[in-house]
């Protein structure tokens, strides 16, 4: 009887250790995926300079703020990313909760959806990037300067 209890306790300890190790590994992979996303976006759009990166809470989608007022979005599909450069005015953003955004793209080439972030600040920051409201120099100019047809 004592051997049975000992074996069961060792099995339970092994399962707990495995779960803790797996959780730590997933957190490390999320950080590496952001770095990989930057490299992949640079390969897809070599002329775009990245200013800031925010990943979603699950780490599967990465939003990038680019140097010229545009934004980028990358969604993980297994070990590959689909890269998308977002022009101002081609996206619709709605709040879906304090840390969630519903994003719909005007061109159906990229999948939108509901994205959850780690906190409200990151969700608000990404919504500003996507809506292009961080472009004060372009806001005072005509629609031709903002890249929109007249």
């Amino acid at each position: 009887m004592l051997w049975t209890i000992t074996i069961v306790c060792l099995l339970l300890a092994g399962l707990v250790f495995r779960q803790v190790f797996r959780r730590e590994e997933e957190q490390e992979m999320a950080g590496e995926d952001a770095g990989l996303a930057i490299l992949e976006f640079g390969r897809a759009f070599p002329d775009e300079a990245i200013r800031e990166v925010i990943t979603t809470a699950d780490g599967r989608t990465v939003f990038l703020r680019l140097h010229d007022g545009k934004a980028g979005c990358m969604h993980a599909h297994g070990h590959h990313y689909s890269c998308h450069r977002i022009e101002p005015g081609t996206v619709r953003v709605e709040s879906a909760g304090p840390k969630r955004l519903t994003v719909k793209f005007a061109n159906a080439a990229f999948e939108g959806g509901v994205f959850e972030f780690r906190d409200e600040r990151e969700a608000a920051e990404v919504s500003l990037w996507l809506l292009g409201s961080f472009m004060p120099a372009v806001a005072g100019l005509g629609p031709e300067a903002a890249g929109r047809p007249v």
Side-chain angles (χ1 to χ4, degrees), residues 113-142:
V114 177
F115 300 99
E116 184 170 351
F117 297 90
R118 290 180 188 88
D119 58 20
E120 293 89 5
R121 184 196 63 77
E122 287 183 349
E125 188 74 21
V126 168
S127 69
L128 288 175
W129 297 353
L130 294 177
L131 295 174
S133 61
F134 61 89
M135 298 175 25
V138 176
L141 302 175

Side-chain angles (χ1 to χ4, degrees), residues 4 7 12 17 26 29 37 59 64 68 74 77 84 98 102-103 106 113 116 121 125 127 137:
T4 306
I7 291 172
L12 286 175
F17 177 75
E26 287 174 358
M29 288 297 287
L64 306 111
D68 58 353
M74 299 183 64
H77 297 283
H84 184 67
T102 301
V103 180
E116 184 170 351
R121 184 196 63 77
E125 188 74 21
S127 69

Side-chain angles (χ1 to χ4, degrees), residues 33-67:
D33 286 344
L36 178 62
I38 291 171
L39 291 174
E40 291 294 324
F41 193 84
R43 191 178 314 168
F45 300 103
D47 295 335
E48 296 290 344
I50 299 170
R51 294 182 71 186
E52 194 172 348
V53 176
I54 293 180
T55 60
T56 56
D58 63 0
R60 295 193 45 82
T61 305
V62 179
F63 290 94
L64 306 111
R65 179 179 176 190
L66 305 177
H67 74 290

Side-chain angles (χ1 to χ4, degrees), residues 74-110:
M74 299 183 64
H75 188 71
H77 297 283
H79 296 290
H80 304 285
Y81 282 95
S82 61
C83 302
H84 184 67
R85 184 174 46 200
I86 304 164
E87 303 288 333
T90 62
V91 66
R92 182 175 178 187
V93 180
E94 296 176 358
S95 176
K99 299 187 293 185
R100 298 172 65 175
L101 294 176
T102 301
V103 180
K104 296 177 185 171
F105 295 97
N107 55 356
F110 187 73

